[in-house]
């Protein structure tokens, strides 16, 4: 009988918690739906960091997807953080040069020393 009443008590507590969650939602639901969405007066500057390591077959699609972002180019910065030790390094460097020549706000940073985390970059604005 003890296990039966223990399970019954646990299920009762769970049911009361669910009831309280639903009651709270119904009580306060209008507070959250009345606020109209607000627009920025000026969009913030955004930096997209793409860390890679020996990913030659992925990097082209990755850069292409990041460069298709619908955001003002003067407020967007794309950083390719490359720790590659294989043929990915020259391939990515030439790819970034092509995108930069086409006017994309893209920057290539290569690290020879992989100490620390994957492609960690500390840049002060």
């Amino acid at each position: 009988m003890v296990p039966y009443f223990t399970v019954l008590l646990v299920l009762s507590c769970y049911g009361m918690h669910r009831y309280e969650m639903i009651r709270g939602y119904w009580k306060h639901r209008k507070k959250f739906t009345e606020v109209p969405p607000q627009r920025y007066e000026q969009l913030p500057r955004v930096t997209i960091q793409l860390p890679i390591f020996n990913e030659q077959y992925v990097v082209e699609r990755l850069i292409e997807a990041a460069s298709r972002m619908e955001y003002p180019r003067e407020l967007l910065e794309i950083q390719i953080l490359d720790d590659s030790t294989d043929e990915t390094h020259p391939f990515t460097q030439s790819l970034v040069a092509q995108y930069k020549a086409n006017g994309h706000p893209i920057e290539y940073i290569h690290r020879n020393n992989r100490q620390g985390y994957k492609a960690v970059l500390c840049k002060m604005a």
Side-chain angles (χ1 to χ4, degrees), residues 28-90:
H28 300 289
R29 72 180 183 272
K30 290 185 180 181
K31 288 182 185 177
F32 301 107
T33 58
E34 293 175 2
V35 178
Q38 298 177 358
R39 300 243 180 219
Y40 287 106
E41 290 180 23
Q42 182 178 359
L43 290 173
R45 186 164 177 76
V46 174
T47 299
I48 301 171
Q49 293 185 329
L50 306 172
I52 60 170
F53 176 70
N54 296 345
E55 300 172 81
Q56 181 177 358
Y57 303 108
V58 176
V59 71
E60 190 170 3
R61 289 179 286 148
L62 186 65
I63 293 173
E64 182 183 342
S67 66
R68 278 201 239 141
M69 287 281 292
E70 292 183 18
Y71 205 77
R73 286 192 179 181
E74 63 274 1
L75 297 175
L76 180 67
E77 178 184 20
I78 302 170
Q79 294 178 347
I80 310 299
L81 310 175
D82 188 8
D83 287 351
S84 297
T85 56
D86 64 352
E87 62 275 353
T88 303
H89 165 61

Side-chain angles (χ1 to χ4, degrees), residues 76-117:
L76 180 67
E77 178 184 20
I78 302 170
Q79 294 178 347
I80 310 299
L81 310 175
D82 188 8
D83 287 351
S84 297
T85 56
D86 64 352
E87 62 275 353
T88 303
H89 165 61
F91 175 73
T92 305
Q93 195 170 18
S94 65
L95 194 61
V96 168
Q98 290 173 4
Y99 275 90
K100 196 168 202 151
N102 289 338
H104 292 281
I106 192 166
E107 184 179 337
Y108 180 74
I109 300 162
H110 182 258
R111 254 187 0 164
N112 292 325
N113 184 358
R114 288 202 72 216
Q115 291 199 345
Y117 295 99

